[in-house]
Amino acid sequence: MAVNEAVKLRNNRLAQYYGMFTVGLIVFSLIMGALELGAGMPKAWIGWTFLMLTMGMYAFIGIMSRTKILDEYYVAGRNVPAVFNGMATGADWMSAASFISMAGTLYALGYDGLAYIMGWTGGYVLLALLFAPYIRKFGQYTIPDFVGARYGGRWPRLVAAICAIIVSLTYVTAQVVGVGIIMSRFIGVPYEWGVVIGLSGVLVCSFLGGMKAVTWTQVAQYIILIIAYMIPVTFLSLKLTGFPFPQLSYGQALQNITVLEKELKISSEAPARDGTGRIIQQGYVPAYNEGLSNAAAVTAINQINSYFGLNITPPKAQSIPDASKPADEIQTDWRGTPWNFLALTFCLMVGTAGLPHILIRFYTVPSVRESRLSVGWALFFIFLLYFTAPAYAAFARWEILQNVVGKEIKSLPEWTVNWSRLGLITQRDYTTLDGREIDKLPAWAAPQVRSGALVITDANGNGKIDLAGATFSETEVDGKKVGVFGELSGTAVTKTSTDGILQFGELNIDPDTIVLSTPEIAGLPYTVAALIAAGGLAAALSTADGLLVVISSAIAHDFYYRIINPKASMNTRIWLGKTMLVVAAVIAALLALPRLALIAQMVAWAFSMAASSFFPVVLLGIFWKRCNGPGAIAGMVGGLSVTLFYMYNNYLDPSFNVLGITHLAAGIFGMPINFLLCYIVSKLTAAPSQEIQDLVDHLRSPELDDELMTSIASGKQAAGAR
């Protein structure tokens, strides 16, 4: 009874602290808004003030949560209440990809982008039903710990640790890119310095207090990110529809988008090019209209060559269907079929349930019951943001179709000019090249010059492109129409590409821009933009925190302590964990500095890798006691290998596909291979020891005591734990 009262008192105290923090954040934002509008406070000062406040708060929590106790460093002392663990899980989960990229993905893909929302939220249902209570019951520190103890021996643990590092490093690199983008836009520092400053914030809290500091920081970060996410889109909804609930009003935006797309001739309806008779509808609302392409691979390799001075030959650009090919060369047109949509949804779902940094969150709650409650709270907190993301996308598309596309480039809204300077919005009308130095062409024009589609004739020899007073004309060379516009000529030069009017096809918006630019689109004060930047930063940092802890614990705990030196002291283990945290952060920063297009896709690849490596072995480890170590190793290696094989080949050559499924959903092929190899190899080799089979029976009985699990966590069970 006394214990329950103490827990209740502690929970109430935590609620008061975070309640005061929430009120303080709102009051601080109102004061900054008043200073901006009333006293003309400079934008740079506002950005820096928000940055210093939030980073200072994270540092304060990190210092207050510093610890040298192993349980607190790796699993936050296993005493985080369900509701706060749900908030921390939500922040851990909602990375920069969710906060600043998901709405942009929906903006670009329309209906097909919903695969991300359904897959990511559906993954939490799998977690609640299949994993959370049993993972907590197991009571270990890491997921390789689970694999090592459940399957016995060093090799399953080692393979699981390697898989955890590959998946987590892939994921954290994308978060660091998000940090750099946000910093560069809102406090005006170069992207590279933004990466360094952001990672410093991560290290301040996670270095001192490990998972304990990360957990309490993530609760504060969730509060910041959800407030920041809701405010701009609410005002945008009010501005465009007169109704302040965007989640309920963006149907009006979809109707207007449909009308505008018809007026601008963006939407269309035509039979599939493979002669099957299917009708393909192009547009924002119709489903399954994305073709296959290796454009991302070509762009990424060109970026790598440019950044590192290499000379890697990019693959020949391909797309399916290819409108330029004659009918007898047309490959199967997979548009209009649901296979890729379903595969991506399923892959993201099981990938979510297999991500190590999410799974370890269920070690941090005090009981099995709290772990189930924690998943429910996490799903609710994630729902608040995911339910709003489609509204962001729809309102942004409506605004852009109405006030940007079809307008003169010289009279575009100021927000498009601001984001164009950062290279996140590209206008591909050739009039934008006027005055450009020839040896500093934008990324979209340089490949056209190399291919010969665009020819630059420096008539006056000043090294710049001069288009003042130019008029378009057309001639014919070798049977091909060639456009001429000032010092530009070539087959790519057309009347519409030189008219100074921004066509829809000439506008390229980085998905990361949609959420971050919404305050400017809605005409809100810069304070709101700074607040949303603080929210995006919180989302990126919270996920980076959790991923860096996974990487450092995989090396310090699973590899060094469990395999190399089981007699290592507690201080040595914590010291090594902190060192590996810094090393992982430095490697992530180096990978993020080139800011390759490749990195954005690596987030989706991380889910495929998690789906094909961890999900089957954790699931079978809980529900099939006949599964053994050799089976788990064969499953993880085979599943991950098949996934990487499909990813690599489809990424470079889109004609390499099954049912039109892209490399983003490659895990759909690796996962069944993992299950199959686990089953076959386990059946062909010796059954696990009776001790481990008893362990599995015990694991699925939450009502039993935790004595056996406690002995495993402390490393006292000889046969099963090592």
Side-chain angles (χ1 to χ4, degrees):
M1 186 65 181
V3 174
N4 289 338
E5 285 298 323
V7 170
K8 188 177 178 181
L9 185 63
R10 177 173 177 268
N11 292 350
N12 288 339
R13 196 162 57 239
L14 285 169
Q16 289 174 3
Y17 290 158
Y18 284 107
M20 291 166 57
F21 173 76
T22 304
V23 173
L25 176 66
I26 294 171
V27 171
F28 173 78
S29 301
L30 292 175
I31 292 173
M32 294 303 294
L35 289 173
E36 179 188 356
L37 298 176
M41 189 174 186
K43 292 180 179 179
W45 291 16
I46 296 171
W48 274 103
T49 305
F50 267 96
L51 175 68
M52 297 305 291
L53 173 79
T54 52
M55 298 289 270
M57 178 59 66
Y58 305 152
F60 175 75
I61 295 174
I63 293 169
M64 294 300 291
S65 304
R66 65 189 182 279
T67 182
K68 293 183 178 179
I69 300 172
L70 208 60
D71 251 19
E72 291 187 345
Y73 189 82
Y74 281 123
V75 288
R78 302 188 199 279
N79 62 1
V80 181
V83 62
F84 292 104
N85 200 59
M87 294 176 80
T89 306
D92 205 347
W93 171 244
M94 289 186 291
S95 61
S98 292
F99 191 94
I100 65 174
S101 296
M102 187 168 63
T105 301
L106 288 166
Y107 164 86
L109 300 181
Y111 180 95
D112 291 354
L114 293 177
Y116 290 89
I117 289 183
M118 291 192 287
W120 284 340
T121 50
Y124 275 85
V125 178
L126 293 182
L127 274 172
L129 295 176
L130 301 177
F131 288 172
Y134 310 111
I135 292 289
R136 174 60 190 91
K137 179 75 176 176
F138 213 78
Q140 300 282 289
Y141 289 141
T142 67
I143 293 307
D145 248 353
F146 172 90
V147 174
R150 165 59 183 84
Y151 293 108
R154 296 178 175 181
W155 290 108
R157 181 189 298 277
L158 179 61
V159 173
I162 293 172
C163 290
I165 293 170
I166 292 173
V167 172
S168 300
L169 190 61
T170 302
Y171 206 162
V172 76
T173 302
Q175 306 313 309
V176 178
V177 173
V179 169
I181 291 173
I182 293 168
M183 289 285 189
S184 61
R185 173 65 184 92
F186 288 97
I187 60 175
V189 298
Y191 167 80
E192 291 78 7
W193 276 108
V195 167
V196 173
I197 295 171
L199 275 178
S200 302
V202 173
L203 292 176
V204 164
C205 62
S206 52
F207 183 82
L208 294 174
M211 184 58 89
K212 181 183 177 186
V214 166
T215 297
W216 298 120
T217 305
Q218 286 173 338
V219 175
Q221 288 167 332
Y222 177 80
I223 293 169
I224 294 174
L225 74 88
I226 199 64
I227 290 176
Y229 203 78
M230 293 298 175
I231 289 177
V233 73
T234 299
F235 278 96
L236 188 58
S237 174
L238 197 60
K239 173 188 173 185
L240 294 176
T241 68
F243 190 66
F245 296 101
Q247 301 87 347
L248 303 178
S249 62
Y250 74 88
Q252 183 180 343
L254 295 180
Q255 292 175 0
N256 283 286
I257 289 169
T258 303
V259 172
L260 287 167
E261 285 186 339
K262 287 182 179 176
E263 291 177 357
L264 295 167
K265 298 180 180 178
I266 297 170
S267 59
S268 63
E269 189 173 286
R273 280 178 56 80
D274 57 4
T276 57
R278 281 179 288 110
I279 300 298
I280 308 299
Q281 292 182 310
Q282 292 288 351
Y284 187 72
V285 177
Y288 319 137
N289 54 27
E290 293 297 317
L292 299 172
S293 166
N294 66 350
V298 174
T299 303
I301 292 175
N302 283 331
Q303 279 186 311
I304 291 171
N305 287 338
S306 172
Y307 194 89
F308 296 104
L310 302 177
N311 193 27
I312 303 171
T313 304
K316 183 182 177 183
Q318 294 184 61
S319 60
I320 300 173
D322 186 344
S324 66
K325 287 190 174 182
D328 57 351
E329 292 184 24
I330 292 174
Q331 296 170 301
T332 303
D333 184 355
W334 292 107
R335 295 177 306 163
T337 65
W339 308 124
N340 186 57
F341 182 87
L342 294 175
L344 184 57
T345 303
F346 185 71
C347 207
L348 294 170
M349 189 182 294
V350 295
T352 298
L355 282 174
H357 73 293
I358 297 300
L359 290 173
I360 62 170
R361 287 240 53 97
F362 303 111
Y363 289 143
T364 62
V365 291
S367 66
V368 171
R369 179 176 177 276
E370 292 280 307
S371 70
R372 285 190 186 277
L373 289 172
S374 173
V375 177
W377 280 114
L379 197 54
F380 170 73
F381 291 128
I382 292 168
F383 156 82
L384 293 179
L385 189 143
Y386 278 24
F387 192 49
T388 308
Y392 260 103
F395 286 132
R397 192 160 179 113
W398 179 10
E399 175 71 16
I400 288 169
L401 291 179
Q402 188 165 266
N403 295 322
V404 177
V405 175
K407 307 299 179 185
E408 282 191 31
I409 291 175
K410 293 180 180 177
S411 60
L412 291 178
E414 185 182 354
W415 67 268
T416 62
V417 178
N418 293 336
W419 289 94
S420 296
R421 290 195 194 105
L422 293 175
L424 296 175
I425 292 182
T426 305
Q427 300 147 16
R428 299 185 176 183
D429 190 283
Y430 288 122
T431 56
T432 61
L433 297 180
D434 187 27
R436 281 263 191 178
E437 294 182 26
I438 295 174
D439 57 354
K440 294 181 180 177
L441 291 176
W444 60 269
Q448 295 181 11
V449 174
R450 285 196 294 271
S451 68
L454 177 65
V455 177
I456 302 173
T457 305
D458 188 10
N460 57 13
N462 66 352
K464 297 182 178 179
I465 299 173
D466 295 312
L467 301 176
T471 56
F472 175 78
S473 61
E474 196 171 56
T475 184
E476 191 165 310
V477 179
D478 297 332
K480 294 181 180 178
K481 290 183 178 179
V482 174
V484 178
F485 185 70
E487 293 183 343
L488 302 179
S489 61
T491 54
V493 179
T494 64
K495 187 174 183 180
T496 54
S497 68
T498 57
D499 60 2
I501 305 294
L502 189 62
Q503 314 296 327
F504 184 76
E506 295 173 348
L507 176 66
N508 183 50
I509 297 182
D510 190 307
D512 295 341
T513 309
I514 296 300
V515 170
L516 297 176
S517 64
T518 299
E520 295 169 76
I521 295 174
L524 298 174
Y526 185 78
T527 297
V528 179
L531 179 62
I532 204 167
L537 192 62
L541 296 183
S542 59
T543 305
D545 277 333
L547 291 164
L548 289 175
V549 168
V550 168
I551 295 170
S552 64
S553 58
I555 299 172
H557 177 76
D558 295 304
F559 183 69
Y560 179 74
Y561 171 64
R562 290 294 195 183
I563 296 176
I564 303 295
N565 183 13
K567 295 181 180 178
S569 67
M570 187 177 68
N571 285 338
T572 301
R573 293 163 64 188
I574 291 181
W575 175 85
L576 185 61
K578 291 181 176 181
T579 304
M580 288 302 103
L581 198 73
V582 176
V583 172
V586 171
I587 293 174
L590 291 175
L591 291 174
L593 285 179
R595 201 183 148 204
L596 304 174
L598 179 70
I599 289 172
Q601 294 158 6
M602 288 168 68
V603 173
W605 292 350
F607 284 83
S608 277
M609 288 188 260
S612 60
S613 57
F614 284 116
F615 183 83
V617 296
V618 175
L619 186 68
L620 293 176
I622 295 170
F623 293 100
W624 188 41
K625 59 186 178 184
R626 181 62 178 79
C627 192
N628 62 16
I633 293 173
M636 285 188 285
V637 174
L640 192 57
S641 299
V642 169
T643 298
L644 295 176
F645 176 79
Y646 189 89
M647 264 183 203
Y648 175 80
N649 285 286
N650 179 262
Y651 188 61
L652 296 177
D653 178 8
S655 65
F656 178 89
N657 70 76
V658 177
L659 297 176
I661 295 172
T662 68
H663 53 90
L664 299 176
I668 199 75
F669 302 106
M671 187 179 63
I673 295 297
N674 189 328
F675 275 117
L676 187 64
L677 288 173
C678 273
Y679 179 80
I680 293 174
V681 175
S682 294
K683 282 290 189 181
L684 293 177
T685 51
S689 67
Q690 188 58 46
E691 196 174 26
I692 287 183
Q693 296 192 43
D694 291 343
L695 172 70
V696 176
D697 287 335
H698 183 84
L699 184 65
R700 295 208 306 272
S701 303
E703 71 277 7
L704 299 180
D705 64 79
D706 288 338
E707 185 178 344
L708 180 60
M709 298 304 165
T710 304
S711 69
I712 294 169
S714 62
K716 292 177 181 176
Q717 189 187 16
R722 302 282 169 78

